Each structure stands twice: as structure tokens, then as C-alpha cells.
Coordinates of all heavy atoms in Angstrom, one line a residue:
R1003 N -15.1 19.6 15.5 CA -14.3 20.9 15.9 C -14.0 21.7 14.5 O -14.0 22.8 14.7 CB -13.0 20.4 16.4 CG -13.0 19.9 17.8 CD -11.6 19.8 18.3 NE -11.6 19.0 19.6 CZ -11.5 17.8 19.9 NH1 -11.3 16.8 18.9 NH2 -11.6 17.3 21.1
K1004 N -13.9 21.0 13.5 CA -13.7 21.8 12.2 C -14.7 22.9 12.0 O -14.4 24.0 11.5 CB -13.6 20.8 11.1 CG -13.2 21.5 9.8 CD -13.3 20.4 8.6 CE -13.0 21.0 7.3 NZ -13.0 20.0 6.3
Q1005 N -15.9 22.5 12.1 CA -17.0 23.4 11.9 C -17.4 24.1 13.2 O -18.1 25.2 13.0 CB -18.2 22.7 11.3 CG -18.0 22.4 9.9 CD -17.5 20.9 9.8 OE1 -17.4 20.1 10.9 NE2 -17.1 20.5 8.7
L1006 N -17.2 23.7 14.4 CA -17.8 24.3 15.4 C -16.9 25.1 16.5 O -17.3 25.7 17.5 CB -18.5 23.2 16.4 CG -19.8 22.6 15.7 CD1 -20.3 21.4 16.5 CD2 -20.8 23.6 15.4
C1007 N -15.6 25.1 16.2 CA -14.7 25.7 17.1 C -14.8 27.3 17.0 O -14.7 27.7 15.9 CB -13.3 25.3 17.0 SG -12.1 25.9 18.1
I1008 N -14.9 27.8 18.2 CA -15.0 29.4 18.2 C -13.7 29.9 18.8 O -13.7 31.1 19.0 CB -16.3 29.9 18.8 CG1 -16.4 29.3 20.2 CG2 -17.5 29.5 17.9 CD1 -17.7 30.0 20.9
H1009 N -12.9 29.1 19.4 CA -11.6 29.6 20.0 C -10.9 30.4 19.0 O -10.4 29.8 17.9 CB -10.9 28.5 20.7 CG -9.8 29.0 21.6 ND1 -8.6 29.3 21.0 CD2 -9.6 29.2 22.9 CE1 -7.8 29.7 22.0 NE2 -8.4 29.6 23.2
H1010 N -10.4 31.6 19.2 CA -9.7 32.4 18.1 C -8.5 31.7 17.7 O -8.1 31.9 16.6 CB -9.5 33.8 18.7 CG -8.8 33.8 19.9 ND1 -7.4 33.9 19.9 CD2 -9.3 34.0 21.2 CE1 -7.0 34.1 21.2 NE2 -8.1 34.1 21.9
D1011 N -7.7 31.0 18.5 CA -6.4 30.4 18.1 C -6.7 29.0 17.5 O -6.2 28.7 16.5 CB -5.4 30.2 19.2 CG -5.0 31.6 19.8 OD1 -4.9 32.6 18.9 OD2 -4.7 31.7 21.0
V1012 N -7.4 28.2 18.2 CA -7.7 26.7 17.8 C -8.3 26.7 16.4 O -8.1 25.9 15.5 CB -8.3 26.0 18.8 CG1 -8.7 24.6 18.3 CG2 -7.6 26.0 20.2
S1013 N -9.3 27.6 16.1 CA -10.1 27.5 15.0 C -9.4 27.9 13.7 O -9.8 27.6 12.6 CB -11.3 28.5 15.0 OG -10.8 29.8 15.2
T1014 N -8.0 28.3 13.8 CA -7.1 28.7 12.7 C -6.5 27.4 12.2 O -6.0 27.5 11.1 CB -6.1 29.8 13.1 OG1 -5.3 29.3 14.1 CG2 -6.9 31.1 13.5
Y1015 N -6.4 26.4 13.0 CA -5.8 25.2 12.7 C -6.7 24.2 11.9 O -8.0 24.4 12.0 CB -5.3 24.3 14.0 CG -4.2 25.2 14.7 CD1 -4.4 25.3 16.0 CD2 -3.1 25.8 14.0 CE1 -3.5 26.1 16.8 CE2 -2.2 26.5 14.8 CZ -2.4 26.6 16.1 OH -1.5 27.3 17.0
V1016 N -6.2 23.1 11.3 CA -7.2 22.3 10.7 C -6.6 20.8 11.0 O -5.4 20.5 11.5 CB -7.0 22.4 9.1 CG1 -7.7 23.6 8.6 CG2 -5.8 22.3 8.5
G1017 N -7.5 20.0 10.8 CA -7.2 18.5 11.1 C -6.6 18.2 12.4 O -7.0 18.6 13.4
A1018 N -5.5 17.2 12.4 CA -5.0 16.7 13.6 C -4.5 17.8 14.5 O -4.6 17.7 15.8 CB -4.1 15.7 13.3
K1019 N -3.9 18.9 13.9 CA -3.3 20.0 14.7 C -4.4 20.8 15.5 O -4.3 21.0 16.7 CB -2.6 20.9 13.8 CG -1.8 22.0 14.5 CD -0.9 22.8 13.6 CE -0.1 23.8 14.3 NZ 0.7 24.6 13.5
Q1020 N -5.7 20.9 14.9 CA -6.7 21.4 15.6 C -7.2 20.7 16.7 O -7.4 21.0 17.9 CB -7.9 21.8 14.6 CG -9.1 22.5 15.2 CD -10.2 22.7 14.4 OE1 -10.6 21.8 13.7 NE2 -10.7 23.9 14.4
N1021 N -7.3 19.3 16.5 CA -7.8 18.4 17.6 C -6.8 18.4 18.8 O -7.2 18.4 19.9 CB -7.9 17.0 16.9 CG -9.0 16.9 16.0 OD1 -10.1 17.6 16.2 ND2 -9.0 15.8 15.2
Q1022 N -5.5 18.3 18.4 CA -4.4 18.4 19.4 C -4.4 19.7 20.2 O -4.4 19.6 21.4 CB -3.0 18.2 18.8 CG -2.0 18.0 19.8 CD -0.6 17.8 19.2 OE1 -0.5 18.0 17.9 NE2 0.4 17.3 19.8
A1023 N -4.7 20.8 19.6 CA -4.6 22.1 20.3 C -5.8 22.1 21.1 O -5.7 22.7 22.3 CB -4.6 23.2 19.2
C1024 N -7.0 21.8 20.6 CA -8.2 21.8 21.5 C -8.1 20.9 22.7 O -8.3 21.2 23.8 CB -9.4 21.3 20.7 SG -10.9 21.1 21.5
R1025 N -7.6 19.6 22.5 CA -7.5 18.8 23.6 C -6.6 19.2 24.6 O -6.7 19.2 25.8 CB -7.1 17.3 23.1 CG -8.1 16.7 22.4 CD -7.8 15.2 22.0 NE -8.7 14.5 21.1 CZ -8.7 14.0 20.0 NH1 -7.5 13.9 19.4 NH2 -9.6 13.5 19.5
S1026 N -5.4 19.9 24.2 CA -4.4 20.3 25.1 C -5.0 21.5 25.9 O -4.8 21.4 27.3 CB -3.2 20.9 24.3 OG -2.2 21.5 25.2
L1027 N -5.7 22.4 25.3 CA -6.3 23.4 26.1 C -7.4 23.0 27.1 O -7.4 23.4 28.3 CB -7.0 24.4 25.3 CG -6.1 25.4 24.5 CD1 -6.8 26.3 23.4 CD2 -5.3 26.2 25.3
V1028 N -8.2 22.0 26.7 CA -9.2 21.4 27.6 C -8.6 20.7 28.7 O -9.1 20.8 29.9 CB -10.2 20.5 26.7 CG1 -11.1 19.7 27.6 CG2 -11.0 21.4 25.7
S1029 N -7.6 19.9 28.4 CA -6.9 19.1 29.5 C -6.2 20.0 30.6 O -6.3 19.6 31.7 CB -6.0 18.1 28.9 OG -4.8 18.8 28.5
K1030 N -5.9 21.2 30.2 CA -5.2 22.2 31.2 C -6.2 23.2 31.6 O -5.8 24.1 32.3 CB -4.1 22.8 30.4 CG -3.0 21.9 29.9 CD -2.0 22.8 29.1 CE -0.9 21.8 28.5 NZ 0.0 22.5 27.7
A1031 N -7.5 23.0 31.3 CA -8.6 23.9 31.7 C -8.3 25.3 31.3 O -8.5 26.3 32.0 CB -8.8 23.8 33.2
R1032 N -7.7 25.5 29.9 CA -7.4 26.8 29.5 C -8.4 27.2 28.5 O -8.0 28.4 27.9 CB -5.9 26.8 29.1 CG -5.0 26.5 30.2 CD -3.5 26.5 29.8 NE -3.2 27.9 29.2 CZ -2.1 28.1 28.5 NH1 -1.4 27.0 28.2 NH2 -1.9 29.3 28.0
C1033 N -9.3 26.5 28.1 CA -10.3 27.0 27.0 C -11.5 27.5 27.7 O -12.2 26.8 28.5 CB -10.7 25.8 26.1 SG -11.8 26.4 24.8
K1034 N -11.6 28.9 27.8 CA -12.7 29.4 28.4 C -14.1 29.1 27.9 O -15.0 29.0 28.6 CB -12.6 31.0 28.4 CG -13.0 31.7 27.1 CD -13.0 33.2 27.1 CE -13.5 33.7 25.9 NZ -13.6 35.2 25.9
F1035 N -14.1 28.7 26.7 CA -15.4 28.4 26.2 C -15.9 27.0 26.7 O -17.0 26.8 27.1 CB -15.4 28.3 24.5 CG -15.2 29.6 23.9 CD1 -13.8 29.8 23.5 CD2 -16.0 30.6 23.9 CE1 -13.4 31.1 23.0 CE2 -15.6 31.9 23.5 CZ -14.4 32.1 23.0
Q1036 N -15.0 26.0 26.8 CA -15.3 24.7 27.3 C -15.6 24.9 28.8 O -16.4 24.2 29.4 CB -14.2 23.8 27.1 CG -14.5 22.3 27.1 CD -14.2 21.6 28.4 OE1 -13.5 22.3 29.3 NE2 -14.7 20.5 28.7
R1037 N -14.8 25.7 29.5 CA -15.1 25.9 31.0 C -16.3 26.5 31.3 O -17.0 26.0 32.2 CB -13.9 26.8 31.5 CG -12.7 26.1 31.9 CD -11.8 27.0 32.8 NE -11.8 28.4 32.5 CZ -10.9 29.1 31.7 NH1 -9.9 28.5 31.2 NH2 -11.1 30.4 31.6
N1038 N -16.6 27.5 30.5 CA -18.0 28.0 30.6 C -19.2 27.1 30.5 O -20.2 27.1 31.1 CB -18.3 29.2 29.6 CG -17.4 30.5 29.9 OD1 -16.9 30.5 31.0 ND2 -17.2 31.3 29.0
L1039 N -19.0 26.1 29.6 CA -20.0 25.2 29.4 C -20.2 24.3 30.7 O -21.4 24.0 30.9 CB -19.7 24.3 28.1 CG -20.6 23.0 27.9 CD1 -21.8 23.6 27.5 CD2 -20.0 22.2 26.8
H1040 N -19.1 23.9 31.3 CA -19.2 23.2 32.6 C -19.6 23.9 33.8 O -20.0 23.4 34.7 CB -18.0 22.4 32.7 CG -17.8 21.3 31.7 ND1 -18.6 20.2 31.7 CD2 -17.0 21.3 30.7 CE1 -18.2 19.3 30.7 NE2 -17.2 20.1 30.1
N1041 N -19.5 25.2 33.7 CA -19.9 26.2 34.9 C -21.4 26.4 34.9 O -21.8 27.0 35.8 CB -19.1 27.4 34.8 CG -17.6 27.1 35.0 OD1 -17.2 26.1 35.6 ND2 -16.7 28.1 34.6
R1042 N -22.1 26.0 33.8 CA -23.5 26.4 33.8 C -24.2 25.0 33.5 O -24.0 24.4 32.5 CB -23.8 27.5 32.8 CG -23.0 28.7 33.0 CD -22.9 29.6 31.8 NE -24.1 29.9 31.2 CZ -24.0 30.6 30.1 NH1 -23.0 31.1 29.4 NH2 -25.2 30.8 29.4
A1043 N -25.3 24.8 34.3 CA -26.1 23.7 34.1 C -26.9 23.7 32.8 O -27.1 22.8 32.0 CB -27.0 23.4 35.2
D1044 N -27.5 25.0 32.6 CA -28.4 25.0 31.3 C -27.9 26.4 30.7 O -27.8 27.5 31.3 CB -29.9 25.2 31.7 CG -30.8 25.3 30.6 OD1 -30.4 24.8 29.5 OD2 -31.7 26.0 30.6
I1045 N -27.5 26.3 29.3 CA -27.1 27.4 28.7 C -28.4 28.2 28.2 O -28.9 28.1 27.2 CB -26.3 27.0 27.3 CG1 -25.1 26.1 27.8 CG2 -25.9 28.2 26.5 CD1 -24.1 26.8 28.6
D1046 N -28.7 29.2 29.1 CA -29.7 30.1 29.0 C -30.9 29.6 28.0 O -31.2 30.2 27.0 CB -29.3 31.4 28.3 CG -28.3 32.1 29.3 OD1 -28.5 31.9 30.5 OD2 -27.6 33.1 28.9
G1047 N -31.5 28.6 28.5 CA -32.8 28.0 27.9 C -32.7 27.3 26.5 O -33.6 27.2 25.7
L1048 N -31.4 26.7 26.2 CA -31.3 26.1 24.9 C -31.5 24.6 25.1 O -31.4 23.9 24.1 CB -29.9 26.5 24.5 CG -29.4 27.8 24.1 CD1 -28.0 27.9 23.6 CD2 -30.5 28.3 23.1
S1049 N -31.7 24.1 26.2 CA -31.8 22.6 26.3 C -32.9 21.9 25.5 O -32.8 20.8 25.1 CB -32.1 22.3 27.8 OG -33.2 22.7 28.3
D1050 N -34.0 22.6 25.1 CA -35.0 22.0 24.4 C -35.2 22.6 23.0 O -36.1 22.4 22.3 CB -36.4 22.1 25.1 CG -36.4 21.2 26.4 OD1 -35.8 20.2 26.4 OD2 -37.2 21.5 27.3
V1051 N -34.1 23.5 22.5 CA -34.1 24.1 21.2 C -33.5 23.2 20.2 O -32.4 22.6 20.4 CB -33.5 25.4 21.3 CG1 -33.3 26.1 20.0 CG2 -34.3 26.3 22.4
I1052 N -34.1 23.1 19.0 CA -33.5 22.4 17.9 C -32.5 23.3 17.1 O -33.0 24.4 16.8 CB -34.5 21.7 16.9 CG1 -35.3 20.7 17.7 CG2 -33.9 21.2 15.8 CD1 -36.6 20.3 16.9
M1053 N -31.2 23.0 17.2 CA -30.4 23.9 16.5 C -29.4 23.1 15.4 O -29.1 22.0 15.6 CB -29.3 24.3 17.6 CG -30.0 25.3 18.6 SD -28.9 26.0 19.7 CE -28.4 24.5 20.7
D1054 N -29.1 23.9 14.4 CA -28.2 23.5 13.4 C -26.9 24.0 13.7 O -26.7 24.7 14.7 CB -28.6 23.8 11.9 CG -28.8 25.2 11.7 OD1 -28.3 26.1 12.5 OD2 -29.5 25.6 10.7
M1055 N -25.9 23.7 12.8 CA -24.6 24.2 13.2 C -24.4 25.8 13.3 O -23.7 26.1 14.2 CB -23.5 23.8 12.2 CG -23.2 22.2 12.3 SD -22.0 21.4 11.3 CE -21.6 22.6 10.1
E1056 N -25.2 26.3 12.5 CA -25.1 27.9 12.5 C -25.7 28.4 13.7 O -25.2 29.2 14.4 CB -25.8 28.5 11.3 CG -25.1 28.3 9.9 CD -25.2 26.8 9.3 OE1 -26.2 26.1 9.8 OE2 -24.6 26.5 8.4
D1057 N -26.7 27.9 14.1 CA -27.4 28.2 15.4 C -26.4 28.0 16.6 O -26.3 28.8 17.6 CB -28.7 27.4 15.7 CG -29.8 27.8 14.6 OD1 -29.8 28.8 14.1 OD2 -30.7 26.9 14.4
L1058 N -25.8 26.8 16.5 CA -24.8 26.5 17.7 C -23.7 27.5 17.8 O -23.3 28.1 18.9 CB -24.2 25.1 17.4 CG -25.0 24.0 18.0 CD1 -24.5 22.7 17.4 CD2 -25.3 24.0 19.4
M1059 N -23.2 28.0 16.5 CA -22.1 29.0 16.5 C -22.5 30.3 17.0 O -21.9 30.9 17.7 CB -21.7 29.1 15.1 CG -21.0 27.8 14.4 SD -19.3 27.5 15.2 CE -18.4 28.8 14.5
I1060 N -23.8 30.7 16.6 CA -24.3 32.1 17.1 C -24.5 32.0 18.6 O -24.1 33.0 19.3 CB -25.6 32.2 16.3 CG1 -25.3 32.6 14.8 CG2 -26.4 33.5 17.0 CD1 -26.6 32.7 13.9
A1061 N -25.1 30.9 19.1 CA -25.4 30.7 20.6 C -24.0 30.8 21.3 O -23.9 31.3 22.3 CB -26.2 29.6 20.8
G1062 N -23.0 30.1 20.8 CA -21.9 29.9 21.4 C -21.0 31.1 21.5 O -20.5 31.5 22.5
N1063 N -21.0 31.9 20.4 CA -20.4 33.3 20.4 C -21.1 34.2 21.3 O -20.5 34.9 22.2 CB -20.3 33.8 19.0 CG -19.2 33.3 18.3 OD1 -17.9 33.2 18.7 ND2 -19.4 32.8 17.1
A1064 N -22.4 34.2 21.2 CA -23.2 35.1 22.2 C -23.1 34.9 23.6 O -22.9 35.7 24.5 CB -24.6 35.2 21.7
Q1065 N -23.1 33.6 24.0 CA -23.0 33.2 25.4 C -21.6 32.7 25.9 O -21.5 32.2 27.0 CB -24.1 32.1 25.6 CG -25.5 32.7 25.4 CD -26.6 31.7 25.6 OE1 -26.5 31.0 26.6 NE2 -27.6 31.7 24.8
E1066 N -20.7 32.7 25.0 CA -19.4 32.3 25.2 C -19.2 30.8 25.8 O -18.6 30.6 26.8 CB -18.6 33.2 26.2 CG -18.3 34.5 25.5 CD -17.5 35.5 26.2 OE1 -17.5 35.4 27.5 OE2 -16.9 36.3 25.6
F1067 N -19.9 29.8 25.1 CA -19.7 28.4 25.5 C -19.2 27.7 24.2 O -19.4 28.2 23.1 CB -20.9 27.8 26.0 CG -22.1 27.6 25.1 CD1 -22.2 26.6 24.2 CD2 -23.1 28.6 25.0 CE1 -23.2 26.4 23.4 CE2 -24.1 28.5 24.1 CZ -24.1 27.3 23.3
C1068 N -18.7 26.5 24.4 CA -18.1 25.7 23.4 C -19.3 24.9 22.5 O -19.8 23.9 23.2 CB -17.0 24.8 23.8 SG -16.4 23.7 22.5
P1069 N -19.5 25.2 21.3 CA -20.6 24.7 20.6 C -20.2 23.3 20.3 O -21.0 22.3 20.3 CB -20.6 25.3 19.2 CG -20.0 26.7 19.6 CD -19.0 26.4 20.6
F1070 N -18.9 22.9 20.1 CA -18.5 21.5 19.8 C -18.8 20.5 21.1 O -19.5 19.5 20.9 CB -17.0 21.3 19.6 CG -16.4 20.0 19.3 CD1 -16.6 19.3 18.3 CD2 -15.7 19.4 20.4 CE1 -16.2 18.0 18.2 CE2 -15.2 18.1 20.3 CZ -15.4 17.4 19.2
Y1071 N -18.3 20.9 22.3 CA -18.6 20.2 23.5 C -20.1 20.1 23.9 O -20.6 19.3 24.4 CB -17.8 20.5 24.6 CG -16.3 19.9 24.5 CD1 -15.3 20.7 24.1 CD2 -16.1 18.6 24.6 CE1 -14.0 20.1 23.8 CE2 -14.9 18.0 24.4 CZ -13.9 18.8 24.1 OH -12.5 18.4 23.9
Y1072 N -20.7 21.3 23.6 CA -22.3 21.4 23.9 C -23.0 20.4 23.1 O -23.9 19.7 23.6 CB -22.7 22.8 23.6 CG -24.2 23.0 24.0 CD1 -24.7 23.1 25.3 CD2 -25.1 23.2 22.9 CE1 -26.0 23.2 25.6 CE2 -26.5 23.3 23.2 CZ -26.9 23.3 24.5 OH -28.2 23.5 24.7
S1073 N -22.6 20.3 21.8 CA -23.5 19.4 20.8 C -23.0 17.9 21.2 O -23.9 17.1 21.1 CB -23.1 19.6 19.4 OG -21.6 19.4 19.2
R1074 N -21.7 17.8 21.6 CA -21.4 16.3 22.0 C -22.3 15.8 23.2 O -22.7 14.7 23.4 CB -20.0 16.2 22.3 CG -19.1 16.2 21.0 CD -17.7 15.9 21.4 NE -17.5 14.7 22.0 CZ -16.4 14.0 22.2 NH1 -15.3 14.6 21.8 NH2 -16.3 12.8 22.7
G1075 N -22.5 16.8 24.2 CA -23.3 16.5 25.3 C -24.7 16.3 25.0 O -25.3 15.5 25.7
R1076 N -25.3 16.9 24.1 CA -26.7 16.8 23.8 C -26.9 15.5 23.0 O -28.1 15.1 23.0 CB -27.1 18.0 22.9 CG -27.2 19.3 23.9 CD -27.8 20.3 23.3 NE -29.2 20.0 23.0 CZ -30.1 20.8 22.3 NH1 -29.7 22.0 21.8 NH2 -31.4 20.5 22.1
V1077 N -26.0 14.9 22.3 CA -26.2 13.6 21.5 C -26.8 12.6 22.3 O -27.7 11.8 21.8 CB -24.9 13.2 20.9 CG1 -25.0 11.9 20.4 CG2 -24.5 14.2 19.8
A1078 N -26.5 12.4 23.6 CA -27.0 11.3 24.5 C -28.5 11.4 24.6 O -29.1 10.3 24.6 CB -26.3 11.4 25.8
N1079 N -29.2 12.5 24.4 CA -30.6 12.7 24.7 C -31.4 13.0 23.3 O -32.4 13.1 23.4 CB -30.9 13.7 25.7 CG -30.4 13.5 27.0 OD1 -30.3 12.3 27.5 ND2 -29.9 14.5 27.6
A1080 N -30.6 13.0 22.3 CA -31.1 13.3 20.9 C -32.0 12.1 20.3 O -31.6 10.9 20.6 CB -30.2 13.7 19.9
E1081 N -33.2 12.4 19.7 CA -34.0 11.3 19.2 C -33.6 11.4 17.7 O -33.7 10.2 17.0 CB -35.3 11.8 19.3 CG -35.9 11.7 20.7 CD -37.3 12.0 20.8 OE1 -38.0 11.9 19.8 OE2 -37.8 12.4 21.9
L1082 N -33.0 12.4 17.1 CA -32.6 12.4 15.7 C -31.4 13.2 15.5 O -31.3 14.3 16.0 CB -33.8 13.0 14.8 CG -33.6 13.1 13.3 CD1 -33.6 11.8 12.7 CD2 -34.8 13.8 12.6
I1083 N -30.4 12.6 14.8 CA -29.1 13.4 14.6 C -28.8 13.4 13.0 O -28.8 12.4 12.4 CB -27.9 12.7 15.3 CG1 -28.2 12.5 16.8 CG2 -26.7 13.3 15.1 CD1 -27.3 11.7 17.6
F1084 N -28.6 14.6 12.6 CA -28.2 14.8 11.2 C -26.7 14.8 11.1 O -26.0 15.6 11.8 CB -28.8 16.0 10.6 CG -30.3 16.0 10.4 CD1 -31.1 16.5 11.3 CD2 -30.9 15.3 9.2 CE1 -32.5 16.3 11.2 CE2 -32.1 15.2 9.1 CZ -33.1 15.8 10.1
M1085 N -26.1 14.2 10.1 CA -24.6 14.2 10.0 C -24.4 13.8 8.5 O -25.0 13.4 7.8 CB -24.0 13.3 10.9 CG -24.3 11.7 10.5 SD -23.5 10.7 11.8 CE -24.7 10.9 13.1
P1086 N -23.2 14.3 8.0 CA -22.7 13.9 6.8 C -22.6 12.3 6.6 O -22.2 11.7 7.6 CB -21.3 14.4 6.5 CG -21.3 15.5 7.5 CD -22.2 15.0 8.6
Y1087 N -22.9 11.8 5.5 CA -22.9 10.2 5.2 C -21.6 9.6 5.5 O -21.6 8.6 6.2 CB -23.4 10.0 3.7 CG -23.3 8.6 3.5 CD1 -24.3 7.8 3.9 CD2 -22.3 8.0 2.8 CE1 -24.4 6.3 3.7 CE2 -22.3 6.6 2.4 CZ -23.4 5.8 2.9 OH -23.4 4.4 2.6
N1088 N -20.5 10.4 5.3 CA -19.2 9.8 5.6 C -18.9 9.5 7.1 O -18.1 8.7 7.4 CB -18.0 10.5 5.0 CG -18.0 11.9 5.6 OD1 -19.0 12.7 5.8 ND2 -16.7 12.4 6.0
Y1089 N -19.7 10.2 7.9 CA -19.5 10.0 9.4 C -20.1 8.6 9.8 O -19.6 8.0 10.7 CB -20.3 11.0 10.1 CG -19.7 12.4 10.3 CD1 -18.8 12.7 9.3 CD2 -19.9 13.2 11.4 CE1 -18.2 14.0 9.4 CE2 -19.3 14.5 11.4 CZ -18.4 15.0 10.5 OH -17.9 16.1 10.6
L1090 N -21.0 8.1 9.0 CA -21.7 6.8 9.3 C -20.7 5.6 8.8 O -20.6 4.6 9.5 CB -23.1 6.7 8.7 CG -24.0 7.5 9.2 CD1 -25.3 7.3 8.3 CD2 -24.4 7.1 10.6
I1091 N -20.0 6.0 7.7 CA -19.2 4.9 7.1 C -17.7 4.8 7.7 O -17.1 3.8 7.4 CB -19.3 4.7 5.6 CG1 -18.8 6.1 5.0 CG2 -20.7 4.5 5.1 CD1 -18.6 6.1 3.5
D1092 N -17.3 5.9 8.2 CA -16.0 5.8 8.7 C -15.9 5.4 10.2 O -16.6 5.9 11.0 CB -15.4 7.3 8.7 CG -13.9 7.4 9.0 OD1 -13.5 6.7 10.0 OD2 -13.2 8.3 8.5
P1093 N -15.3 4.1 10.3 CA -15.3 3.6 11.7 C -14.7 4.4 12.8 O -15.2 4.4 13.9 CB -14.5 2.4 11.6 CG -14.1 2.2 10.1 CD -14.6 3.4 9.4
K1094 N -13.6 5.2 12.6 CA -13.1 6.1 13.5 C -13.9 7.2 14.0 O -14.1 7.5 15.2 CB -11.8 6.6 13.1 CG -10.6 5.7 12.9 CD -9.5 6.3 12.4 CE -8.3 5.4 12.1 NZ -7.1 6.0 11.5
I1095 N -14.7 7.7 13.0 CA -15.7 8.9 13.4 C -16.9 8.3 14.1 O -17.3 8.8 15.0 CB -16.0 9.6 12.2 CG1 -14.8 10.4 11.5 CG2 -17.2 10.7 12.4 CD1 -15.1 11.0 10.3
R1096 N -17.4 7.1 13.5 CA -18.5 6.5 14.2 C -18.3 6.1 15.7 O -19.2 6.3 16.4 CB -18.9 5.4 13.2 CG -20.3 4.7 13.6 CD -20.8 3.6 12.7 NE -19.7 2.5 12.6 CZ -19.2 2.1 11.5 NH1 -19.5 2.7 10.3 NH2 -18.4 1.1 11.5
A1097 N -17.1 5.6 15.8 CA -16.7 5.2 17.3 C -16.8 6.4 18.1 O -17.0 6.0 19.4 CB -15.5 4.4 17.2
S1098 N -16.5 7.5 17.7 CA -16.4 8.6 18.6 C -17.8 9.1 19.0 O -18.0 9.7 19.9 CB -15.6 9.7 18.0 OG -16.2 10.4 17.1

């Protein structure tokens, strides 16, 4: 969320406050970006495109979908995932 949130309010928060604000909006179906993601089966031809974080942000802003939840959904079918090293050694992050 820290790097991928495009919600104008939630993206201003950091850490646990950002996570809590995002989860709250999503649980109440009040985040239009996350709702838009679930209302469309394929985000305008992006299903086979390799994207980095900047590409996800640009596509999310242009098509108004949540880059964070979009990337989480794509992980299941990914053959290769790039991430910071600390994501591998931190058990809490690794478990998510």
C-alpha cells in the first residue's frame, strides 16, 4: 500500500494508519478504486503485460483501479516476482 495506493485520502497516511484506513474503506465498499477492480474481469488488456510499480500506478490512475489489490491478484499466476530483500526475511510480510 505504501507505494501503490492511489486513493487521495489513504495515500497521505503511512504505516499502520494507512493499512487500517484502506481496510476500513474496502470492508465498507467505499474505495472506488478497489470496487472498480472487482467490477471488471480484465483491466483493459493488462492481464499479460509485465509491469513495475510505476506502470501499475500509471495504469491504476488512468483506468481508476487499485494497483495494490490488482498486483496482489496477479501474484497467484506470476512466474517471477521482484521484491525488496527484507520482504523475504520478515515473517509477517512473507506470510501475507
Side-chain angles (χ1 to χ4, degrees):
R1003 288 184 181 100
K1004 181 179 176 182
Q1005 289 89 12
L1006 294 175
C1007 182
I1008 60 173
H1009 190 281
H1010 55 85
D1011 293 331
V1012 177
S1013 63
T1014 62
Y1015 301 130
V1016 294
K1019 189 171 183 177
Q1020 184 183 46
N1021 291 336
Q1022 183 180 19
C1024 175
R1025 288 184 185 128
S1026 176
L1027 288 176
V1028 169
S1029 69
K1030 297 173 186 173
R1032 294 182 60 203
C1033 178
K1034 74 174 184 175
F1035 302 105
Q1036 200 264 351
R1037 277 196 325 263
N1038 288 345
L1039 179 63
H1040 290 290
N1041 292 337
R1042 297 162 52 185
D1044 181 31
I1045 303 294
D1046 292 342
L1048 296 179
S1049 61
D1050 294 329
V1051 176
I1052 298 171
M1053 294 186 284
D1054 60 16
M1055 288 188 341
E1056 290 80 14
D1057 296 332
L1058 281 169
M1059 296 289 289
I1060 291 167
N1063 276 309
Q1065 299 181 43
E1066 295 191 333
F1067 68 85
C1068 177
F1070 175 75
Y1071 281 104
Y1072 180 74
S1073 64
R1074 285 186 63 170
R1076 291 193 59 188
V1077 166
N1079 297 324
E1081 294 179 21
L1082 181 63
I1083 302 169
F1084 290 97
M1085 68 185 80
Y1087 181 72
N1088 64 314
Y1089 284 26
L1090 293 174
I1091 60 174
D1092 186 319
K1094 290 180 183 177
I1095 296 173
R1096 190 174 59 237
S1098 68

